[in-house]
Amino acid sequence: MRKRVLIPYRHAKKVKAYEDAARAAGMEPQPVLTSGPVSLDGFAGLLLMGGTDVNPRRYGQAPQAEIDRPDDERDEAELELIDHAIDKDVPILAICRGLQILNVYHGGTLIQHLSSVERHSTGGENPALPGHPVTIEPGSLLADIAGTSCWQVNSRHHQAAAEIGAGLRVSARDSEDGTVEALERPDKRFVVAVQWHPEDQVFTDPEQLKLFRRFADAVRFGS
């Protein structure tokens, strides 16, 4: 029986790629709108999507001109879900915005607008196209998943982690400019966050399916 994984979302048109990737790895995704009641009860994993910027006031900064209009309702819903998952050791796979709000939850901060934004907004009409390489930290869970020290990843973000939150470790960086590309929490069963969009690559790059399969393993063999 496939274990259910919660996908909180704001815009339905963006969910399908995440659902397809989760199913390809053997999970049963359940999207739930962040505008209504949302709970992790009854779910074996939490998959955090990309999306709009986290409100900078949540990490003690005034908003800069380049950021999106804040979505406090979504921020609050996802922070509560992260809190539940961390407390109960429910596996988390966090993607793009997901990495950013995971870092903010742990007390970290964000770069509100990258100076090298063009390098991190690639792919055009094909979101699966690789944008740049990332260097994976030896000894990290991500290194164990990847089985290599370098991955070619797609990229579409203008923000990134700055100060890293307590309990998190950097597990990958952009090979050229050093931008944080992955985080993880070693003291938990599975908390992995990536800044790129592997959900768009799983059917063209088997390497990226490894992330979802390892997430599925953690979900399957959890309590």
Side-chain angles (χ1 to χ4, degrees):
M1 180 178 178
R2 293 187 171 205
K3 292 288 189 77
R4 292 202 310 156
V5 171
L6 176 65
I7 308 178
Y9 75 96
R10 174 61 86 192
H11 303 291
K13 65 181 181 180
K14 296 185 176 182
V15 178
K16 186 176 185 302
Y18 298 88
E19 289 184 281
D20 290 347
R23 288 196 180 98
M27 295 174 283
E28 185 56 47
Q30 179 63 59
V32 178
L33 267 169
T34 55
S35 57
V38 56
S39 169
L40 201 53
D41 290 340
F43 291 93
L46 175 62
L47 176 55
L48 295 171
M49 295 174 48
T52 54
D53 302 333
V54 178
N55 190 336
R57 300 198 184 280
R58 293 190 179 272
Y59 49 94
Q61 295 181 11
Q64 296 176 2
E66 297 88 352
I67 76 155
D68 301 327
R69 182 176 180 178
D71 186 346
D72 289 316
E73 186 177 57
R74 181 178 180 182
D75 288 352
E76 188 64 30
E78 292 186 351
L79 288 166
E80 289 181 2
L81 289 169
I82 293 169
D83 189 61
H84 184 165
I86 293 295
D87 181 57
K88 302 298 183 183
D89 204 12
V90 173
I92 300 173
L93 176 59
I95 294 171
C96 197
R97 167 194 158 91
L99 177 148
Q100 294 159 11
I101 199 162
L102 182 75
N103 191 45
V104 170
Y105 169 84
H106 284 87
T109 63
L110 303 178
I111 299 169
Q112 291 191 41
H113 191 68
L114 290 163
S115 59
S116 55
V117 66
E118 291 82 5
R119 177 173 173 79
H120 296 279
S121 298
T122 60
E125 294 182 359
N126 185 352
L129 289 177
H132 60 77
V134 297
T135 300
I136 301 171
E137 292 294 319
S140 64
L141 176 56
L142 185 62
D144 185 60
I145 294 169
T148 183
S149 61
C150 184
W151 258 354
Q152 291 286 338
V153 303
N154 60 0
S155 191
R156 58 177 190 273
H157 61 101
H158 78 112
Q159 296 195 328
E163 181 180 346
I164 305 304
L168 299 176
R169 67 169 288 185
V170 175
S171 51
R173 292 183 182 271
D174 182 301
S175 301
E176 182 177 297
D177 68 15
T179 297
V180 173
E181 291 283 346
L183 298 171
E184 58 190 55
R185 184 161 165 177
D187 66 323
K188 294 297 179 179
R189 200 150 44 89
F190 188 97
V191 176
V192 173
V194 297
Q195 189 58 73
W196 63 92
H197 284 270
E199 77 282 359
D200 291 324
Q201 295 181 289
V202 294
F203 298 109
T204 59
D205 183 359
E207 289 295 297
Q208 297 304 312
L209 185 56
K210 290 178 179 179
L211 274 169
F212 287 91
R213 284 179 170 161
R214 186 63 70 89
F215 177 46
D217 287 344
V219 166
R220 191 175 301 115
F221 297 112
S223 57

